[in-house]
């Protein structure tokens, strides 16, 4: 059995450069996002177009108009529908969304609107799932809606911490929807996570801090983003980290 085909490895890519690194490292798919410190928002049309030109592996695009909660107004949903149309036009292979209502349940009507806008593209429900009050009810609802997969950390800060719930979701899903483990997944824990959960899809960033190419940097008290953030580095996925994470699992399960 070739276990490399048994698992799917998706890299959360914060730039076109990270998409390219993901492919070089052996990933099967990327999820292209902007504003990672806010949990990921919709990337620009230019980034989507350049990513599509630059990689041949599957390209999923997050559709999220802002950071914060997952309760969206009608104008935000209309914006998301337009962003989905742009992503489809530019060659995205799938979209990533997540809508909740005020009671922290799946917003079925909003989710269906976005699925309809995807017009046949596979839809991943992102970690808004980890903010749901009733995960098993949410699982059933997303199966009924025709969602392709759920990205989850098992409603814990990291997927290894949420392994028990992830395992239960995999069992209850019974192949009707893919369960993808994400958040905190890396080369040190992916093999144990796979064994504990029986999950077959993994989502990780494999980013490393790269020193800025700036020759001169201003006073660090002049911040462009969150105060205290180190703006002398750029966080970017590296092929080496991607490959190391995949290899850590493959070496644990081969030969069978």
């Amino acid at each position: 059995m070739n276990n490399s085909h048994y698992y799917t490895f998706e890299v959360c890519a914060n730039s076109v450069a990270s998409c390219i690194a993901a492919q070089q490292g052996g990933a099967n798919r990327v999820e292209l996002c902007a504003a990672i410190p806010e949990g990921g928002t919709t990337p620009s049309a230019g980034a989507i177009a350049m990513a599509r030109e630059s990689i041949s592996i599957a390209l999923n695009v997050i559709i999220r108009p802002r950071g914060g909660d997952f309760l969206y107004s009608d104008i935000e949903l209309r914006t998301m529908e337009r962003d989905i149309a742009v992503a489809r036009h530019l060659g995205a292979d799938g979209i990533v969304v997540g809508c909740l209502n005020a009671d922290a349940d799946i917003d079925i009507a909003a989710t269906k609107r976005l699925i309809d806008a995807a017009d046949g593209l596979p839809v991943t429900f992102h970690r808004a799932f980890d903010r749901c009050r009733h995960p098993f009810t949410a699982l059933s609802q997303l199966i009924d809606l025709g969602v392709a997969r759920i990205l989850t950390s098992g409603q814990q800060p990291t997927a290894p911490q949420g392994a028990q719930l992830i395992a239960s979701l995999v069992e209850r899903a019974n192949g009707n929807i893919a369960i993808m483990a994400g958040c905190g997944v890396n080369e040190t824990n992916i093999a144990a996570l796979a064994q504990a959960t029986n999950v077959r899809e993994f989502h990780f960033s494999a980013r490393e801090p790269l020193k800025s190419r700036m020759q001169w940097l201003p006073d660090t008290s002049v911040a462009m983003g969150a105060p205290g953030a180190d703006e002398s580095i750029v966080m970017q996925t590296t092929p080496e980290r991607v490959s190391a994470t995949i290899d850590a699992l493959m070496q644990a399960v081969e030969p069978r």
Side-chain angles (χ1 to χ4, degrees), residues 118-139:
D119 195 23
L121 288 183
V123 173
T124 298
F125 196 93
H126 58 52
R127 289 188 60 230
F129 182 87
D130 291 323
R131 305 296 293 269
C132 287
R133 338 183 257 178
H134 304 300
F136 296 116
T137 299
L139 172 69

Side-chain angles (χ1 to χ4, degrees), residues 127-193:
R127 289 188 60 230
F129 182 87
D130 291 323
R131 305 296 293 269
C132 287
R133 338 183 257 178
H134 304 300
F136 296 116
T137 299
L139 172 69
S140 297
Q141 292 170 331
L142 293 173
I143 290 171
D144 290 344
L145 283 165
V147 169
R149 69 181 52 80
I150 297 169
L151 170 61
T152 179
S153 62
Q155 299 200 330
Q156 294 296 319
T158 69
Q161 291 171 281
Q164 184 174 355
L165 177 57
I166 293 172
S168 296
L169 291 167
V170 170
E171 183 177 4
R172 294 222 192 173
N174 194 31
N176 292 306
I177 191 171
I179 304 299
M180 179 164 59
C183 193
V185 177
N186 57 46
E187 60 269 41
T188 70
N189 57 35
I190 190 170
L193 182 62

Side-chain angles (χ1 to χ4, degrees), residues 77-120:
L77 288 169
R78 287 160 57 196
T79 300
M80 295 165 82
E81 288 170 327
R82 293 197 179 193
D83 282 337
I84 290 170
V86 170
R88 290 182 64 251
H89 175 72
L90 294 174
D93 296 299
I95 65 159
V96 183
V97 300
C99 302
L100 304 181
N101 62 29
D103 292 325
D105 297 319
I106 301 295
D107 188 331
I108 293 173
T111 303
K112 186 176 185 308
R113 277 180 65 172
L114 301 183
I115 291 171
D116 289 345
D119 195 23

